[in-house]
Amino acid sequence: MPKIDINAAPVKTGSIYPEPYNGQMAGRWSQRLGEQAGLTQFGVNIVHLEAGAPASLRHWHLREDEFAMVLTGELVLVEETGETVMRAGDCAAWKAGVPDAHRFINRSAAPASFLIVGSKAEEEEATYGDVDMKIHISGGKARFTYHDGSDWSGPRDLAAKETAPKGDSK
């Protein structure tokens, strides 16, 4: 396998979330190492978070495993059971189908980064634990729904739970 030029890897900023959630992902960008290498069975990315930035909404995958390793800085891992401070070298993993919604937030004053590796199921569903939203991936296309399966057209309830997902204390 040839050496991957990390600096030549495709860069993705923001998220594919609909608003208002996409706007909450400011300060997040990733280097797509798996894409750079032409991998098709799993994704490999380095996610960079500016101070105060979240990596994602809290979510869990139905068919895809995930593995993460903090590379630089300090991040807070927010899961169903609470929060864990993670530093360079610390790892976490989530088995497909286990409803433990999770995410990283950079609550420090400095940038941080982590490596994320995940399987790529042809058909996938992820559930967002703090907002009434799911994503369905099929044929490379994303479709958002509410938890009940109806088509997503924006937040149904702008209560505190919707506008401040679990783990936000900023």
Side-chain angles (χ1 to χ4, degrees), residues 57-126:
L57 296 173
R58 244 176 24 95
H59 67 283
W60 63 274
H61 293 274
L62 184 62
R63 296 178 186 90
E64 295 182 356
D65 290 336
E66 286 184 291
F67 171 86
M69 174 185 255
V70 177
L71 299 176
T72 63
E74 180 179 288
L75 296 169
V76 176
L77 170 61
V78 182
E79 296 177 289
E80 296 289 335
T81 57
E83 299 185 1
T84 305
V85 173
M86 297 188 63
R87 295 178 181 87
D90 289 341
C91 302
W94 301 274
K95 185 175 176 4
V98 176
D100 183 8
H102 57 273
R103 75 173 182 165
F104 285 111
I105 302 172
N106 182 357
R107 291 197 184 131
S108 77
S113 65
F114 64 97
L115 178 74
I116 187 84
V117 179
S119 51
K120 283 185 167 184
E122 293 216 10
E123 303 285 324
E124 173 58 324
E125 180 180 299

Side-chain angles (χ1 to χ4, degrees), residues 4-64:
I4 297 172
D5 182 354
I6 292 175
N7 295 319
V11 171
K12 181 174 188 324
T13 58
S15 74
I16 65 169
Y17 299 148
E19 292 299 345
Y21 308 120
N22 182 52
Q24 295 174 12
M25 299 302 115
R28 175 200 191 278
W29 60 281
S30 62
Q31 294 171 287
R32 314 300 252 184
L33 305 182
E35 188 177 324
Q36 174 75 2
L39 302 179
T40 59
Q41 296 180 17
F42 59 94
V44 182
N45 302 309
I46 297 175
V47 179
H48 301 267
L49 300 177
E50 298 300 324
S56 65
L57 296 173
R58 244 176 24 95
H59 67 283
W60 63 274
H61 293 274
L62 184 62
R63 296 178 186 90
E64 295 182 356

